Amino acid sequence: MEKDGSLIGQNMFMKTVIEADEGGIVPVLTMGPICITPTFKRKGYGKALPDHTLEKAKGLGYGAVLFEDNIAFYGKSGFDHARNFGIRYHDLPEGADDSFFLCKELIPGYLK
Ligand SMILES: CC(C)(COP(=O)(O)OP(=O)(O)OC[C@H]1O[C@@H](n2cnc3c(N)ncnc32)[C@H](O)[C@@H]1OP(=O)(O)O)[C@@H](O)C(=O)NCCC(=O)NCCS
């Protein structure tokens, strides 16, 4: 993200896959790290940046995005707990707190 020719923020996406229990893989993206330069924080850019880039990812045809952060922040950008899509975090012990692990479908029903 640039403002007046200066870089004020960034968001990154990586291609990855969900390994399905019954075999096979589901191509998805991971998001982050995302950041806004300190002097521009708390001005709305940290909300605008994921919203804009998630729209771009959707436009490129990606079906879902995984992210590790706080649902209170990123629920506003349409993320839900990944567990609600039936997705477990690789190597996290059964019963461990997975509330940090978030997911957003870009194509409705993509993860069904
Ligand atoms: C997280 C980060 C990207 C937010 O950027 P920002 O430009 O300050 O965010 P915004 O101004 O768009 O605020 C978005 C919402 O988050 C809230 N928020 C932002 N920073 C917050 C903070 N430190 N504590 C509590 N709430 C915060 C805002 O109140 C706002 O909520 P609202 O719409 O209800 O008012 C920025 O603080 C940052 O770069 N942090 C360091 C890197 C990081 O932690 N990235 C996330 C993990 S990859």
Side-chain angles (χ1 to χ4, degrees):
M1 176 179 265
E2 290 182 12
K3 186 171 174 58
D4 302 327
S6 295
L7 189 65
I8 66 160
Q10 69 148 34
N11 191 15
M12 295 183 65
F13 292 84
M14 298 285 283
K15 292 182 192 176
T16 187
V17 297
I18 298 167
E19 295 178 346
D21 286 344
E22 65 272 23
I25 56 169
V26 181
V28 292
L29 295 174
T30 58
M31 188 175 98
I34 179 168
C35 62
I36 297 296
T37 200
T39 49
F40 282 89
K41 282 185 185 177
R42 307 308 293 257
K43 297 179 190 295
Y45 295 115
K47 174 75 168 59
L49 181 55
D51 290 351
H52 176 72
T53 50
L54 286 161
E55 274 303 307
K56 289 192 80 167
K58 183 178 178 177
L60 289 168
Y62 292 102
V65 180
L66 303 175
F67 186 44
E68 294 171 42
D69 209 287
N70 186 340
I71 190 74
F73 263 40
Y74 292 96
K76 295 172 191 166
S77 294
F79 281 89
D80 194 357
H81 290 116
R83 72 171 92 95
N84 293 338
F85 295 91
I87 305 168
R88 298 188 304 273
Y89 193 87
H90 183 63
D91 282 350
L92 195 68
E94 197 71 30
D97 180 13
D98 65 352
S99 60
F100 64 91
F101 189 33
L102 310 182
C103 178
K104 177 184 166 83
E105 274 187 333
L106 299 176
I107 300 172
Y110 180 77
L111 294 171
K112 281 202 173 78

